[in-house]
Amino acid sequence: MGAELASSADWTLRWSTAGHPPPLVITPDHRADHLLADPDLPLGIDSTLRRHEHAHPLPVDATVVFFTDGLVEHRDHSLDAGLKRLAAIAAAHADLPVPDLVRVLIEEHPSDGHDDMAVLAVRAQRIRPSRPGRQAHRTNPS
Protein backbone atom coordinates (compact mmCIF):
# COMPACT_ATOMS: atom_id res chain seq x y z
CA MET A 1 0.00 0.00 0.00
CA GLY A 2 1.20 3.48 -0.72
CA ALA A 3 -0.13 6.95 -1.30
CA GLU A 4 1.30 9.84 -3.24
CA LEU A 5 0.30 13.44 -3.72
CA ALA A 6 -1.13 14.02 -7.19
CA SER A 7 -0.71 17.27 -9.08
CA SER A 8 -4.26 18.35 -8.23
CA ALA A 9 -3.48 18.35 -4.48
CA ASP A 10 -5.53 15.17 -4.17
CA TRP A 11 -3.89 11.84 -3.41
CA THR A 12 -3.50 8.60 -5.34
CA LEU A 13 -3.76 5.32 -3.44
CA ARG A 14 -1.66 2.47 -4.82
CA TRP A 15 -2.10 -1.08 -3.54
CA SER A 16 -1.73 -4.74 -4.35
CA THR A 17 -4.02 -7.50 -3.16
CA ALA A 18 -3.61 -11.19 -2.44
CA GLY A 19 -7.29 -11.95 -2.01
CA HIS A 20 -8.08 -9.92 1.09
CA PRO A 21 -11.36 -8.02 1.25
CA PRO A 22 -11.34 -4.91 -0.93
CA PRO A 23 -10.22 -1.65 0.69
CA LEU A 24 -13.02 0.72 1.65
CA VAL A 25 -12.80 4.40 0.69
CA ILE A 26 -14.94 6.88 2.59
CA THR A 27 -15.14 10.32 0.99
CA PRO A 28 -15.76 13.57 2.86
CA ASP A 29 -19.32 13.65 1.44
CA HIS A 30 -20.07 10.35 3.28
CA ARG A 31 -19.87 8.00 0.28
CA ALA A 32 -18.30 4.65 1.05
CA ASP A 33 -17.16 2.41 -1.80
CA HIS A 34 -15.09 -0.77 -1.92
CA LEU A 35 -12.16 -0.78 -4.35
CA LEU A 36 -12.58 -4.04 -6.24
CA ALA A 37 -9.44 -5.44 -7.88
CA ASP A 38 -8.24 -8.80 -9.18
CA PRO A 39 -5.99 -10.46 -6.59
CA ASP A 40 -2.49 -11.79 -7.10
CA LEU A 41 -1.08 -14.87 -5.39
CA PRO A 42 -0.40 -14.53 -1.65
CA LEU A 43 3.05 -13.14 -0.85
CA GLY A 44 5.79 -15.75 -0.72
CA ILE A 45 4.15 -18.27 -3.07
CA ASP A 46 6.18 -17.34 -6.15
CA SER A 47 8.49 -14.36 -5.80
CA THR A 48 9.31 -14.42 -9.53
CA LEU A 49 5.80 -13.34 -10.50
CA ARG A 50 5.19 -9.62 -10.91
CA ARG A 51 2.53 -8.19 -8.59
CA HIS A 52 -0.14 -5.97 -10.09
CA GLU A 53 -0.48 -2.49 -8.72
CA HIS A 54 -3.88 -0.87 -8.54
CA ALA A 55 -4.43 2.88 -8.28
CA HIS A 56 -7.37 5.01 -7.19
CA PRO A 57 -7.59 8.80 -6.74
CA LEU A 58 -8.36 10.01 -3.22
CA PRO A 59 -9.76 13.43 -2.47
CA VAL A 60 -8.34 15.31 0.48
CA ASP A 61 -9.96 14.09 3.72
CA ALA A 62 -10.94 10.73 2.24
CA THR A 63 -10.35 7.77 4.55
CA VAL A 64 -9.11 4.38 3.36
CA VAL A 65 -9.87 1.31 5.47
CA PHE A 66 -8.05 -2.00 5.02
CA PHE A 67 -9.42 -4.93 7.02
CA THR A 68 -9.43 -8.69 7.35
CA ASP A 69 -12.42 -10.84 6.48
CA GLY A 70 -13.14 -11.38 10.17
CA LEU A 71 -14.71 -7.92 10.20
CA VAL A 72 -17.40 -8.79 7.62
CA GLU A 73 -17.89 -12.57 7.36
CA HIS A 74 -21.03 -14.04 8.87
CA ARG A 75 -22.10 -17.64 8.33
CA ASP A 76 -25.77 -16.59 7.94
CA HIS A 77 -25.15 -13.77 5.42
CA SER A 78 -23.28 -13.38 2.14
CA LEU A 79 -19.90 -11.67 2.03
CA ASP A 80 -21.48 -8.95 -0.14
CA ALA A 81 -24.05 -8.30 2.60
CA GLY A 82 -21.25 -7.90 5.16
CA LEU A 83 -19.30 -5.54 2.86
CA LYS A 84 -22.41 -3.42 2.22
CA ARG A 85 -23.19 -3.25 5.94
CA LEU A 86 -19.60 -2.20 6.73
CA ALA A 87 -19.80 0.53 4.06
CA ALA A 88 -23.05 1.82 5.58
CA ILE A 89 -21.53 1.92 9.07
CA ALA A 90 -18.45 3.73 7.75
CA ALA A 91 -20.47 6.27 5.76
CA ALA A 92 -22.60 7.07 8.81
CA HIS A 93 -19.48 7.82 10.86
CA ALA A 94 -17.28 9.42 8.19
CA ASP A 95 -16.73 12.62 10.20
CA LEU A 96 -15.17 10.87 13.18
CA PRO A 97 -11.43 11.12 13.83
CA VAL A 98 -9.71 8.02 12.42
CA PRO A 99 -9.13 6.26 15.78
CA ASP A 100 -12.80 6.70 16.69
CA LEU A 101 -13.94 5.52 13.25
CA VAL A 102 -11.86 2.34 13.62
CA ARG A 103 -13.33 1.78 17.09
CA VAL A 104 -16.90 2.11 15.71
CA LEU A 105 -16.16 -0.26 12.80
CA ILE A 106 -14.89 -2.87 15.25
CA GLU A 107 -17.72 -2.37 17.76
CA GLU A 108 -20.49 -2.43 15.13
CA HIS A 109 -18.92 -4.99 12.76
CA PRO A 110 -21.34 -7.04 10.65
CA SER A 111 -19.50 -10.34 11.18
CA ASP A 112 -20.50 -13.18 13.45
CA GLY A 113 -17.39 -12.57 15.59
CA HIS A 114 -15.86 -16.01 15.03
CA ASP A 115 -12.69 -14.81 13.31
CA ASP A 116 -9.91 -12.40 14.17
CA MET A 117 -10.26 -8.79 13.05
CA ALA A 118 -7.58 -6.39 11.92
CA VAL A 119 -8.30 -2.86 10.74
CA LEU A 120 -5.93 -0.25 9.31
CA ALA A 121 -7.28 3.19 8.40
CA VAL A 122 -5.58 6.29 7.00
CA ARG A 123 -6.96 9.70 6.08
CA ALA A 124 -5.58 11.73 3.18
CA GLN A 125 -4.50 15.00 4.73
CA ARG A 126 -4.17 18.32 2.96
CA ILE A 127 -0.52 19.20 2.40
CA ARG A 128 0.17 22.80 3.24
CA PRO A 129 2.75 24.30 0.93
CA SER A 130 5.54 26.14 2.67
CA ARG A 131 5.49 29.90 2.39
CA PRO A 132 7.78 31.35 -0.27
CA GLY A 133 11.07 32.56 1.11
CA ARG A 134 10.70 30.61 4.33
CA GLN A 135 13.35 28.06 5.12
CA ALA A 136 13.45 25.43 7.76
CA HIS A 137 15.53 26.37 10.78
CA ARG A 138 18.72 24.34 10.89
CA THR A 139 21.14 24.02 13.71
CA ASN A 140 24.74 23.03 13.34
CA PRO A 141 26.19 20.66 15.90
CA SER A 142 29.14 22.17 17.79
Side-chain angles (χ1 to χ4, degrees), residues 24-96:
L24 179 64
V25 173
I26 311 152
T27 58
D29 61 356
H30 293 249
R31 279 194 358 249
D33 295 304
H34 293 280
L35 302 179
L36 303 176
D38 292 330
D40 288 318
L41 289 174
L43 292 173
I45 298 294
D46 186 348
S47 61
T48 64
L49 291 178
R50 184 180 161 280
R51 297 198 66 78
H52 295 92
E53 182 180 89
H54 309 286
H56 184 79
L58 295 176
V60 170
D61 293 329
T63 303
V64 182
V65 181
F66 291 90
F67 54 94
T68 58
D69 55 3
L71 195 67
V72 292
E73 283 186 337
H74 193 295
R75 66 177 160 248
D76 295 333
H77 306 288
S78 70
L79 181 59
D80 281 345
L83 292 171
K84 285 179 185 175
R85 178 69 186 126
L86 183 69
I89 294 166
H93 299 283
D95 291 333
L96 289 176

Coordinates of all heavy atoms in Angstrom, one line a residue, residues 24-96:
L24 N -11.8 -0.1 1.6 CA -13.0 0.7 1.6 C -12.6 2.2 1.7 O -11.7 2.6 2.5 CB -13.8 0.4 2.9 CG -15.1 1.2 3.1 CD1 -16.1 1.0 2.1 CD2 -15.7 0.9 4.5
V25 N -13.1 3.0 0.7 CA -12.8 4.4 0.7 C -14.0 5.2 1.1 O -15.1 5.0 0.6 CB -12.4 4.9 -0.7 CG1 -12.2 6.4 -0.8 CG2 -11.1 4.2 -1.1
I26 N -13.9 6.0 2.1 CA -14.9 6.9 2.6 C -14.6 8.3 2.2 O -13.6 8.8 2.7 CB -15.1 6.7 4.1 CG1 -15.1 5.3 4.5 CG2 -16.3 7.5 4.6 CD1 -14.6 5.0 5.9
T27 N -15.4 8.9 1.4 CA -15.1 10.3 1.0 C -15.7 11.3 2.0 O -16.6 11.0 2.8 CB -15.7 10.6 -0.4 OG1 -17.1 10.3 -0.4 CG2 -15.0 9.7 -1.4
P28 N -15.3 12.6 1.9 CA -15.8 13.6 2.9 C -17.3 13.8 2.7 O -17.9 14.3 3.7 CB -15.0 14.8 2.5 CG -13.8 14.4 1.8 CD -14.2 13.1 1.1
D29 N -17.9 13.5 1.6 CA -19.3 13.6 1.4 C -20.1 12.4 1.9 O -21.3 12.2 1.5 CB -19.7 14.1 0.0 CG -19.3 13.0 -1.0 OD1 -18.6 12.0 -0.6 OD2 -19.6 13.2 -2.2
H30 N -19.4 11.5 2.7 CA -20.1 10.4 3.3 C -20.4 9.2 2.3 O -21.3 8.4 2.6 CB -21.3 10.7 4.1 CG -21.0 11.6 5.3 ND1 -21.2 11.1 6.6 CD2 -20.5 12.8 5.4 CE1 -20.8 12.1 7.4 NE2 -20.4 13.1 6.7
R31 N -19.7 9.2 1.2 CA -19.9 8.0 0.3 C -18.8 7.0 0.7 O -17.7 7.3 1.0 CB -19.6 8.4 -1.2 CG -20.8 9.0 -1.8 CD -20.7 9.1 -3.4 NE -19.5 8.6 -3.9 CZ -18.6 9.4 -4.5 NH1 -18.7 10.7 -4.6 NH2 -17.5 8.9 -5.0
A32 N -19.2 5.7 0.7 CA -18.3 4.7 1.0 C -18.4 3.6 0.0 O -19.4 3.1 -0.3 CB -18.7 4.0 2.4
D33 N -17.2 3.4 -0.7 CA -17.2 2.4 -1.8 C -16.0 1.5 -1.6 O -14.9 1.9 -1.2 CB -17.0 3.1 -3.1 CG -18.2 4.0 -3.5 OD1 -19.3 3.4 -3.5 OD2 -18.0 5.2 -3.7
H34 N -16.2 0.2 -1.9 CA -15.1 -0.8 -1.9 C -14.3 -0.7 -3.2 O -14.9 -0.6 -4.3 CB -15.6 -2.2 -1.7 CG -16.2 -2.4 -0.3 ND1 -15.4 -2.6 0.8 CD2 -17.5 -2.3 0.1 CE1 -16.2 -2.7 1.8 NE2 -17.5 -2.5 1.5
L35 N -13.0 -0.8 -3.2 CA -12.2 -0.8 -4.4 C -11.9 -2.2 -4.8 O -11.0 -2.9 -4.3 CB -10.8 -0.1 -4.1 CG -11.0 1.4 -3.6 CD1 -9.6 2.0 -3.3 CD2 -11.7 2.2 -4.6
L36 N -12.7 -2.7 -5.8 CA -12.6 -4.0 -6.2 C -11.4 -4.2 -7.2 O -11.2 -3.3 -8.1 CB -13.9 -4.5 -6.9 CG -15.1 -4.4 -6.1 CD1 -16.4 -4.7 -6.9 CD2 -15.0 -5.2 -4.8
A37 N -10.6 -5.2 -7.0 CA -9.4 -5.4 -7.9 C -9.1 -6.9 -7.9 O -9.4 -7.7 -7.0 CB -8.2 -4.7 -7.3
D38 N -8.6 -7.4 -9.1 CA -8.2 -8.8 -9.2 C -7.0 -9.1 -8.3 O -6.1 -8.3 -8.3 CB -7.9 -9.1 -10.6 CG -9.1 -9.1 -11.5 OD1 -10.2 -9.4 -11.0 OD2 -9.0 -8.8 -12.7
P39 N -7.1 -10.2 -7.5 CA -6.0 -10.5 -6.6 C -4.8 -11.2 -7.3 O -5.0 -11.9 -8.3 CB -6.6 -11.4 -5.6 CG -7.7 -12.1 -6.3 CD -8.2 -11.1 -7.3
D40 N -3.7 -11.0 -6.7 CA -2.5 -11.8 -7.1 C -2.4 -12.9 -6.1 O -3.2 -13.1 -5.2 CB -1.2 -10.9 -7.0 CG -1.2 -9.9 -8.1 OD1 -1.5 -10.2 -9.3 OD2 -0.8 -8.7 -7.8
L41 N -1.4 -13.8 -6.3 CA -1.1 -14.9 -5.4 C -0.7 -14.3 -4.0 O -0.1 -13.2 -4.0 CB 0.1 -15.7 -5.9 CG -0.2 -16.6 -7.1 CD1 1.0 -17.3 -7.6 CD2 -1.3 -17.7 -6.8
P42 N -0.9 -15.0 -2.9 CA -0.4 -14.5 -1.7 C 1.1 -14.3 -1.7 O 1.8 -15.0 -2.5 CB -0.8 -15.7 -0.7 CG -2.0 -16.3 -1.3 CD -1.7 -16.2 -2.8
L43 N 1.6 -13.4 -0.9 CA 3.1 -13.1 -0.9 C 3.8 -14.4 -0.5 O 3.3 -15.2 0.4 CB 3.4 -12.0 0.2 CG 2.9 -10.7 -0.2 CD1 3.1 -9.7 1.0 CD2 3.6 -10.1 -1.4
G44 N 4.9 -14.6 -1.1 CA 5.8 -15.7 -0.7 C 5.5 -17.0 -1.5 O 6.3 -18.0 -1.4
I45 N 4.5 -17.1 -2.3 CA 4.2 -18.3 -3.1 C 5.1 -18.4 -4.3 O 5.7 -19.5 -4.5 CB 2.7 -18.3 -3.6 CG1 1.7 -18.2 -2.4 CG2 2.4 -19.4 -4.5 CD1 1.7 -19.5 -1.6
D46 N 5.3 -17.3 -5.0 CA 6.2 -17.3 -6.2 C 6.7 -15.9 -6.3 O 6.1 -15.1 -6.9 CB 5.5 -17.8 -7.4 CG 6.4 -17.9 -8.6 OD1 7.6 -17.5 -8.5 OD2 5.9 -18.5 -9.6
S47 N 7.9 -15.7 -5.8 CA 8.5 -14.4 -5.8 C 8.9 -13.9 -7.2 O 9.3 -12.8 -7.4 CB 9.7 -14.3 -4.8 OG 10.7 -15.2 -5.2
T48 N 8.9 -14.8 -8.2 CA 9.3 -14.4 -9.5 C 8.2 -13.8 -10.3 O 8.4 -13.1 -11.3 CB 9.8 -15.6 -10.3 OG1 8.7 -16.6 -10.5 CG2 11.0 -16.3 -9.7
L49 N 6.9 -13.9 -9.8 CA 5.8 -13.3 -10.5 C 5.7 -11.9 -10.1 O 5.8 -11.5 -9.0 CB 4.5 -14.1 -10.1 CG 4.4 -15.5 -10.7 CD1 3.0 -16.1 -10.2 CD2 4.4 -15.5 -12.2
R50 N 5.4 -11.1 -11.1 CA 5.2 -9.6 -10.9 C 3.8 -9.4 -10.3 O 2.8 -10.0 -10.7 CB 5.2 -8.9 -12.3 CG 5.2 -7.4 -12.2 CD 5.2 -6.8 -13.6 NE 4.7 -5.5 -13.6 CZ 3.4 -5.2 -13.7 NH1 2.5 -6.1 -13.7 NH2 3.0 -3.9 -13.7
R51 N 3.8 -8.5 -9.2 CA 2.5 -8.2 -8.6 C 1.9 -7.0 -9.4 O 2.6 -6.2 -9.9 CB 2.8 -7.8 -7.1 CG 3.3 -9.0 -6.3 CD 3.2 -8.7 -4.8 NE 1.8 -8.7 -4.4 CZ 1.1 -9.8 -4.2 NH1 1.6 -11.0 -4.5 NH2 -0.2 -9.7 -3.8
H52 N 0.6 -7.0 -9.4 CA -0.1 -6.0 -10.1 C -0.4 -4.8 -9.1 O -0.8 -5.1 -8.0 CB -1.4 -6.5 -10.7 CG -1.2 -7.5 -11.8 ND1 -1.2 -8.8 -11.5 CD2 -1.0 -7.3 -13.1 CE1 -0.9 -9.5 -12.7 NE2 -0.8 -8.6 -13.6
E53 N -0.2 -3.7 -9.6 CA -0.5 -2.5 -8.7 C -1.8 -1.9 -9.2 O -2.0 -1.7 -10.4 CB 0.7 -1.5 -8.8 CG 0.5 -0.3 -8.0 CD 1.6 0.7 -8.1 OE1 1.5 1.6 -9.0 OE2 2.6 0.6 -7.4
H54 N -2.6 -1.5 -8.2 CA -3.9 -0.9 -8.5 C -3.8 0.6 -8.0 O -3.0 0.9 -7.1 CB -5.0 -1.6 -7.9 CG -5.0 -3.1 -8.1 ND1 -5.4 -3.6 -9.3 CD2 -4.7 -4.1 -7.4 CE1 -5.3 -4.9 -9.3 NE2 -4.8 -5.2 -8.1
A55 N -4.5 1.5 -8.7 CA -4.4 2.9 -8.3 C -5.8 3.5 -8.3 O -6.7 3.1 -9.1 CB -3.6 3.7 -9.2
H56 N -6.1 4.4 -7.3 CA -7.4 5.0 -7.2 C -7.1 6.4 -6.6 O -6.4 6.6 -5.6 CB -8.3 4.2 -6.2 CG -9.6 4.7 -6.1 ND1 -10.6 4.5 -7.1 CD2 -10.2 5.5 -5.2 CE1 -11.7 5.1 -6.7 NE2 -11.5 5.7 -5.6
P57 N -7.7 7.4 -7.3 CA -7.6 8.8 -6.7 C -8.3 9.0 -5.4 O -9.4 8.4 -5.2 CB -8.2 9.7 -7.8 CG -9.1 8.8 -8.6 CD -8.6 7.4 -8.5
L58 N -7.7 9.7 -4.5 CA -8.4 10.0 -3.2 C -8.5 11.5 -3.0 O -7.5 12.2 -3.1 CB -7.5 9.5 -2.1 CG -7.3 8.0 -1.9 CD1 -6.3 7.7 -0.8 CD2 -8.6 7.3 -1.7
P59 N -9.7 12.0 -2.8 CA -9.8 13.4 -2.5 C -9.2 13.7 -1.1 O -9.1 12.8 -0.2 CB -11.3 13.7 -2.5 CG -11.9 12.4 -2.2 CD -11.0 11.3 -2.8
V60 N -8.8 14.9 -0.8 CA -8.3 15.3 0.5 C -9.5 15.0 1.5 O -10.6 15.2 1.2 CB -8.0 16.8 0.5 CG1 -7.7 17.3 1.9 CG2 -6.7 17.0 -0.4
D61 N -9.1 14.5 2.6 CA -10.0 14.1 3.7 C -10.7 12.8 3.5 O -11.6 12.4 4.3 CB -11.0 15.2 4.1 CG -10.2 16.4 4.7 OD1 -9.2 16.2 5.4 OD2 -10.7 17.5 4.6
A62 N -10.4 12.1 2.4 CA -10.9 10.7 2.2 C -10.2 9.8 3.2 O -9.1 10.0 3.6 CB -10.7 10.2 0.8
T63 N -10.9 8.8 3.6 CA -10.4 7.8 4.6 C -10.3 6.4 3.8 O -11.3 6.1 3.2 CB -11.2 7.7 5.8 OG1 -11.3 9.0 6.4 CG2 -10.6 6.7 6.8
V64 N -9.2 5.7 3.9 CA -9.1 4.4 3.4 C -9.0 3.4 4.5 O -8.3 3.6 5.5 CB -7.8 4.2 2.5 CG1 -7.8 2.8 1.9 CG2 -7.8 5.3 1.4
V65 N -9.8 2.3 4.4 CA -9.9 1.3 5.5 C -9.5 0.0 4.9 O -10.2 -0.5 3.9 CB -11.3 1.2 6.1 CG1 -11.2 0.2 7.2 CG2 -11.7 2.6 6.7
F66 N -8.4 -0.6 5.4 CA -8.0 -2.0 5.0 C -8.4 -2.9 6.2 O -8.3 -2.4 7.4 CB -6.5 -2.1 4.8 CG -6.1 -1.4 3.6 CD1 -5.7 -0.1 3.6 CD2 -6.0 -2.1 2.4 CE1 -5.2 0.6 2.5 CE2 -5.5 -1.4 1.2 CZ -5.2 -0.1 1.3
F67 N -8.9 -4.1 5.9 CA -9.4 -4.9 7.0 C -9.4 -6.4 6.6 O -9.3 -6.7 5.4 CB -10.9 -4.5 7.4 CG -11.8 -4.5 6.2 CD1 -12.6 -5.7 5.9 CD2 -11.9 -3.4 5.4 CE1 -13.4 -5.7 4.8 CE2 -12.7 -3.4 4.3 CZ -13.5 -4.6 4.0
T68 N -9.4 -7.3 7.6 CA -9.4 -8.7 7.4 C -10.9 -9.1 7.2 O -11.8 -8.4 7.7 CB -8.7 -9.5 8.5 OG1 -9.4 -9.2 9.7 CG2 -7.2 -9.1 8.5
D69 N -11.1 -10.3 6.7 CA -12.4 -10.8 6.5 C -13.2 -11.1 7.8 O -14.4 -11.1 7.8 CB -12.4 -12.1 5.6 CG -11.5 -13.2 6.2 OD1 -10.9 -13.0 7.2 OD2 -11.4 -14.2 5.5
G70 N -12.5 -11.2 8.9 CA -13.1 -11.4 10.2 C -14.1 -10.2 10.6 O -14.9 -10.4 11.4
L71 N -13.9 -9.1 9.9 CA -14.7 -7.9 10.2 C -16.1 -8.0 9.5 O -17.0 -7.4 10.0 CB -14.0 -6.6 9.8 CG -14.5 -5.3 10.3 CD1 -14.3 -5.2 11.8 CD2 -13.8 -4.2 9.6
V72 N -16.2 -8.8 8.4 CA -17.4 -8.8 7.6 C -18.0 -10.2 7.4 O -19.2 -10.2 7.0 CB -17.2 -8.1 6.3 CG1 -16.9 -6.6 6.4 CG2 -16.0 -8.8 5.5
E73 N -17.3 -11.2 7.6 CA -17.9 -12.6 7.4 C -18.9 -13.0 8.4 O -18.6 -12.9 9.6 CB -16.8 -13.6 7.2 CG -16.0 -13.5 6.0 CD -15.0 -14.7 5.8 OE1 -14.6 -15.3 6.8 OE2 -14.7 -14.9 4.6
H74 N -20.0 -13.5 8.0 CA -21.0 -14.0 8.9 C -21.6 -15.3 8.2 O -22.0 -15.2 7.1 CB -22.1 -13.0 9.1 CG -23.1 -13.3 10.2 ND1 -23.9 -14.3 10.2 CD2 -23.3 -12.6 11.3 CE1 -24.6 -14.3 11.3 NE2 -24.2 -13.3 12.0
R75 N -21.7 -16.4 8.9 CA -22.1 -17.6 8.3 C -23.5 -17.6 7.9 O -23.9 -18.4 7.0 CB -21.9 -18.8 9.3 CG -22.7 -18.8 10.5 CD -22.5 -20.0 11.4 NE -22.9 -19.7 12.8 CZ -22.1 -19.6 13.8 NH1 -20.8 -19.8 13.7 NH2 -22.6 -19.3 15.0
D76 N -24.4 -16.7 8.4 CA -25.8 -16.6 7.9 C -26.0 -15.5 6.9 O -27.2 -15.3 6.5 CB -26.7 -16.3 9.2 CG -26.6 -17.4 10.2 OD1 -26.4 -18.6 9.8 OD2 -26.8 -17.1 11.4
H77 N -25.0 -14.8 6.4 CA -25.2 -13.8 5.4 C -24.0 -13.9 4.4 O -23.0 -14.4 4.7 CB -25.1 -12.4 6.1 CG -26.0 -12.2 7.2 ND1 -27.4 -12.1 7.0 CD2 -25.9 -12.2 8.5 CE1 -28.0 -12.0 8.2 NE2 -27.1 -12.0 9.1
S78 N -24.3 -13.4 3.2 CA -23.3 -13.4 2.1 C -22.2 -12.4 2.5 O -22.4 -11.4 3.3 CB -23.9 -13.0 0.8 OG -24.3 -11.6 0.8
L79 N -21.0 -12.6 1.9 CA -19.9 -11.7 2.0 C -20.3 -10.3 1.5 O -20.0 -9.3 2.1 CB -18.7 -12.2 1.3 CG -17.4 -11.3 1.4 CD1 -17.0 -11.1 2.9 CD2 -16.3 -11.9 0.6
D80 N -21.0 -10.2 0.4 CA -21.5 -9.0 -0.1 C -22.3 -8.2 0.9 O -22.2 -7.0 1.0 CB -22.3 -9.1 -1.4 CG -21.3 -9.4 -2.6 OD1 -20.1 -9.1 -2.5 OD2 -21.9 -9.8 -3.7
A81 N -23.2 -8.9 1.6 CA -24.0 -8.3 2.6 C -23.2 -7.7 3.7 O -23.5 -6.6 4.2 CB -25.0 -9.3 3.2
G82 N -22.1 -8.4 4.1 CA -21.3 -7.9 5.2 C -20.5 -6.7 4.7 O -20.3 -5.7 5.4
L83 N -20.0 -6.7 3.4 CA -19.3 -5.5 2.9 C -20.2 -4.3 2.8 O -19.8 -3.2 3.1 CB -18.7 -5.9 1.5 CG -17.6 -6.9 1.5 CD1 -17.3 -7.3 0.1 CD2 -16.4 -6.4 2.2
K84 N -21.5 -4.5 2.3 CA -22.4 -3.4 2.2 C -22.7 -2.8 3.6 O -22.8 -1.6 3.8 CB -23.7 -3.9 1.5 CG -23.5 -4.1 0.0 CD -24.8 -4.6 -0.6 CE -24.6 -4.9 -2.1 NZ -25.8 -5.4 -2.7
R85 N -22.9 -3.7 4.6 CA -23.2 -3.2 5.9 C -22.0 -2.4 6.5 O -22.2 -1.4 7.1 CB -23.5 -4.4 6.9 CG -23.8 -4.1 8.3 CD -25.1 -3.3 8.4 NE -25.2 -2.8 9.8 CZ -25.4 -1.6 10.1 NH1 -25.6 -0.6 9.2 NH2 -25.5 -1.2 11.4
L86 N -20.8 -2.9 6.3 CA -19.6 -2.2 6.7 C -19.5 -0.8 6.1 O -19.2 0.2 6.7 CB -18.3 -3.0 6.4 CG -17.0 -2.3 6.9 CD1 -17.0 -2.4 8.5 CD2 -15.8 -3.0 6.3
A87 N -19.8 -0.8 4.8 CA -19.8 0.5 4.1 C -20.8 1.5 4.7 O -20.6 2.7 4.8 CB -20.0 0.3 2.6
A88 N -22.0 1.0 5.0 CA -23.1 1.8 5.6 C -22.6 2.3 6.9 O -22.8 3.5 7.3 CB -24.4 1.0 5.7
I89 N -22.0 1.5 7.7 CA -21.5 1.9 9.1 C -20.5 3.0 8.9 O -20.5 4.0 9.6 CB -21.0 0.7 9.9 CG1 -22.1 -0.3 10.2 CG2 -20.3 1.2 11.1 CD1 -21.6 -1.6 10.7
A90 N -19.5 2.8 8.0 CA -18.4 3.7 7.7 C -19.0 5.1 7.3 O -18.6 6.1 7.7 CB -17.4 3.1 6.8
A91 N -19.9 5.0 6.3 CA -20.5 6.3 5.8 C -21.2 7.1 6.9 O -21.1 8.3 6.9 CB -21.4 6.0 4.6
A92 N -21.9 6.4 7.7 CA -22.6 7.1 8.8 C -21.7 7.7 9.8 O -22.1 8.7 10.5 CB -23.5 6.1 9.5
H93 N -20.4 7.3 9.9 CA -19.5 7.8 10.9 C -18.3 8.5 10.2 O -17.2 8.6 10.8 CB -19.0 6.7 11.8 CG -20.2 6.1 12.6 ND1 -20.7 6.7 13.7 CD2 -20.9 5.0 12.4 CE1 -21.7 6.0 14.1 NE2 -21.9 4.9 13.4
A94 N -18.4 8.9 9.0 CA -17.3 9.4 8.2 C -16.6 10.6 8.8 O -15.4 10.9 8.6 CB -17.7 9.8 6.8
D95 N -17.3 11.4 9.6 CA -16.7 12.6 10.2 C -15.9 12.4 11.5 O -15.2 13.3 11.9 CB -17.8 13.6 10.5 CG -18.5 14.2 9.3 OD1 -17.9 14.2 8.3 OD2 -19.7 14.6 9.4
L96 N -15.9 11.2 12.0 CA -15.2 10.9 13.2 C -13.7 10.9 12.9 O -13.2 10.6 11.8 CB -15.5 9.5 13.7 CG -16.9 9.3 14.3 CD1 -17.1 7.8 14.7 CD2 -17.1 10.2 15.5

